[in-house]
Amino acid sequence: MLLSFCHSLFLSLTPCITLSDPVQGPQNVNVVDVRARQLTIQWETFGYAVTRCHAYNLTVRKLQYKYMYNQMEFGTEEVIRTSSHYTLRGLRPFVTVWLRLILANTEGSKQSEEIVKQMDSDVPSSIPKESLMKTVSEDNIIMQWEAPTEPNGIITKYEITYNALSSSDPSADVTNQRGRIFKLSNETSHVFHGLYPGTTYIFTIKASTIKGFGPPVSTTIITKIAAPIMPEYKSETALNETDTTITILLKPAQPYGAPIRSYQLIVKENRTRSRRDALKSPECFSIPVSFRNASVLDSQYYIAAELLPSSLSIVQPFTVGDNKSYGGFWNSPLSPVKSYSIYLQATSRTNGETTINCVRMANKAASIQDSGDMELDKQGNRKMKMVGVIIGILLFVIILLGIIFTFKRKYVSGLTCSVATVTSYSD
């Protein structure tokens, strides 16, 4: 009895000596859980009839899989150490996976039918920051972007938020400059209107799938500064005027996106008498020209004065041509034989940007006629008189010739009649 019991125990503890290939492949293989980056498979537990051996550790279970991503094929085999289920990790979201469960030993292998599964979606990656393109003006920003490099599903929408951080204009209140917009998946650009000039904005954009929004990407954009807003001078009338001066009322301009750095009083000589040219909108004067350089450069204008913004914080009178210097520019007396237009120009400058704007405040006509013009008028009068005399002589000659021709015709006619009478008497 004891010998028989020991023999049976020996057989149960001894592995198979003769090993052959599995009878059949894994049965009832199913995917029981699919997520964005992993899936779990389950199968029927292997028995002796399948492996042909009591020693299961002599039979290897492997999972073979592959998938396509960015037109490249990825795949490998993993050894399974569990008996009836396995979780495959490290997959890509929203890709199609082909997989087989393989039962193998040194003598051969058997595999299950191929299973094809679509992985679940996930939140997308961030939008490439290098793809952010912008076109900036004073109050508009055009922004363009590209889709995430890893959409991890179907992009459903984009969300863009913006917020004003600060402005170069110290008088500006940009606390209400903020907003949020949504764009469809096929829209990758947007125009932001109604922004404030010279203001720093932070824009944040992120993409979304059905699983939610991915990580955001941010960029900072500064709008261009705008020219100062000039005061209105509707009447363009002066407070006082002499032969060499004109007194006008100076009004401060309003900054728009950047502080005003200086004011210039511009004196422009009106060399044309065309009324249409005089009514044209003024062009500003970007090149600083002093009175002394104006004649050398043959410039039609010069700067009579430059004032700091602190000197023009309130409305005040100013006399152009008072023979004083302001900001390094000589306010030379005006010529009484010339006509002028007087302009106020404001300059804003920040972060390397400069803008100017100007307005015509008054016009000054010549108070004394130029001697050269008077001489030209005299010469013109003499010419007109000479032309009149010549025309009169020509008319006298024409009339005289007409009279002579008339008397000549009457004389010839009378002579013919006399000859005819004498002839008749002779007969």
Side-chain angles (χ1 to χ4, degrees):
M1 283 294 287
L2 182 59
L3 181 61
S4 176
F5 173 76
C6 291
H7 183 264
S8 300
L9 180 62
F10 174 77
L11 289 176
S12 64
L13 296 175
T14 303
C16 307
I17 303 301
T18 303
L19 187 68
S20 54
D21 61 319
V23 175
Q24 61 186 26
Q27 299 297 305
N28 298 323
V29 181
N30 294 299
V31 176
V32 295
D33 183 40
V34 179
R35 302 184 184 182
R37 301 178 185 272
Q38 69 180 45
L39 58 79
T40 301
I41 60 173
Q42 184 175 296
W43 62 90
E44 184 178 313
T45 305
F46 304 132
Y48 174 74
V50 175
T51 62
R52 291 187 182 179
C53 183
H54 288 289
Y56 295 160
N57 60 346
L58 295 180
T59 303
V60 178
R61 293 174 295 275
K62 296 185 293 184
L63 181 63
Q64 185 182 73
Y65 69 94
K66 66 178 180 179
Y67 61 88
M68 299 293 295
Y69 180 75
N70 285 343
Q71 299 182 344
M72 296 178 62
E73 183 177 300
F74 297 85
T76 186
E77 290 182 347
E78 291 191 13
V79 177
I80 300 175
R81 302 189 182 278
T82 56
S83 59
S84 61
H85 66 277
Y86 182 72
T87 299
L88 181 62
R89 294 179 172 85
L91 300 176
R92 294 275 186 177
F94 206 66
V95 297
T96 301
V97 180
W98 292 265
L99 52 88
R100 294 178 187 272
L101 186 61
I102 301 173
L103 185 63
N105 57 27
T106 57
E107 298 298 321
S109 64
K110 295 290 184 179
Q111 60 184 12
S112 68
E113 293 183 357
E114 186 176 64
I115 300 176
V116 181
K117 278 293 180 180
Q118 173 86 39
M119 299 298 296
D120 199 2
S121 300
D122 200 357
V123 297
S125 64
S126 61
I127 292 171
K129 192 168 185 177
E130 60 274 12
S131 73
L132 296 179
M133 306 293 291
K134 65 254 188 192
T135 303
V136 184
S137 64
E138 296 170 358
D139 54 1
N140 293 333
I141 292 178
I142 303 175
M143 180 178 287
Q144 296 175 298
W145 62 89
E146 294 179 0
T149 54
E150 298 181 7
N152 298 333
I154 298 175
I155 300 298
T156 57
K157 59 185 174 182
Y158 296 96
E159 180 191 271
I160 309 173
T161 59
Y162 67 95
N163 184 29
L165 300 179
S166 60
S167 176
S168 300
D169 183 357
S171 63
D173 181 10
V174 294
T175 55
N176 61 340
Q177 289 280 305
R178 62 181 65 202
R180 180 191 308 270
I181 61 104
F182 293 94
K183 306 294 289 185
L184 299 177
S185 59
N186 61 343
E187 297 177 308
T188 55
S189 65
H190 185 73
V191 181
F192 295 89
H193 297 284
L195 305 179
Y196 195 81
T199 302
T200 301
Y201 292 88
I202 182 169
F203 289 82
T204 301
I205 179 171
K206 54 186 178 181
S208 174
T209 64
I210 60 174
K211 293 296 184 178
F213 284 100
V217 61
S218 299
T219 184
T220 301
I221 305 176
I222 304 175
T223 52
K224 295 182 178 296
I225 65 173
I229 302 173
M230 302 305 295
E232 292 185 1
Y233 286 87
K234 294 182 179 180
S235 60
E236 297 181 354
T237 56
L239 298 178
N240 187 33
E241 188 174 337
T242 67
D243 290 343
T244 59
T245 65
I246 180 173
T247 301
I248 51 181
L249 195 64
L250 296 185
K251 304 175 184 179
Q254 295 296 321
Y256 193 32
I260 296 175
R261 301 298 183 182
S262 61
Y263 291 97
Q264 295 87 30
L265 273 296
I266 309 294
V267 178
K268 181 181 178 182
E269 180 184 347
N270 296 326
R271 297 179 181 177
T272 175
R273 295 182 181 180
S274 171
R275 179 172 177 81
R276 185 180 64 182
D277 292 340
L279 294 176
K280 283 183 179 179
S281 299
E283 296 181 358
C284 295
F285 313 91
S286 58
I287 302 175
V289 179
S290 65
F291 175 80
R292 294 180 176 86
N293 292 334
S295 57
V296 176
L297 301 174
D298 192 28
S299 175
Q300 194 175 351
Y301 72 91
Y302 65 89
I303 298 177
E306 184 170 79
L307 306 174
L308 294 176
S310 58
S311 303
L312 188 53
S313 58
I314 59 174
V315 178
Q316 56 185 284
F318 185 87
T319 300
V320 178
D322 64 0
N323 202 26
K324 298 178 182 180
S325 293
Y326 299 89
F329 292 93
W330 179 32
N331 188 17
S332 171
L334 304 177
S335 173
V337 298
K338 295 180 179 180
S339 63
Y340 299 95
S341 293
I342 312 300
Y343 295 85
L344 175 65
Q345 178 170 281
T347 302
S348 292
R349 186 182 301 109
T350 187
N351 297 327
E353 283 189 85
T354 301
T355 57
I356 59 174
N357 200 2
C358 58
V359 61
R360 183 171 55 227
M361 297 183 291
N363 292 319
K364 183 182 184 305
S367 55
I368 301 176
Q369 191 173 8
D370 192 353
S371 59
D373 293 339
M374 295 175 63
E375 184 63 29
L376 289 175
D377 291 342
K378 290 179 181 179
Q379 292 178 5
N381 291 334
R382 286 197 293 268
K383 289 181 180 179
M384 291 298 294
K385 290 178 181 179
M386 291 176 64
V387 170
V389 171
I390 293 172
I391 292 174
I393 293 174
L394 289 175
L395 289 174
F396 176 77
V397 170
I398 291 170
I399 293 172
L400 182 62
L401 289 176
I403 294 173
I404 292 173
F405 181 74
T406 302
F407 277 106
K408 186 176 179 180
R409 285 185 62 185
K410 290 181 178 181
Y411 175 74
V412 172
S413 177
L415 183 62
T416 302
C417 291
S418 299
V419 172
T421 304
V422 172
T423 304
S424 64
Y425 282 133
S426 298
D427 292 339

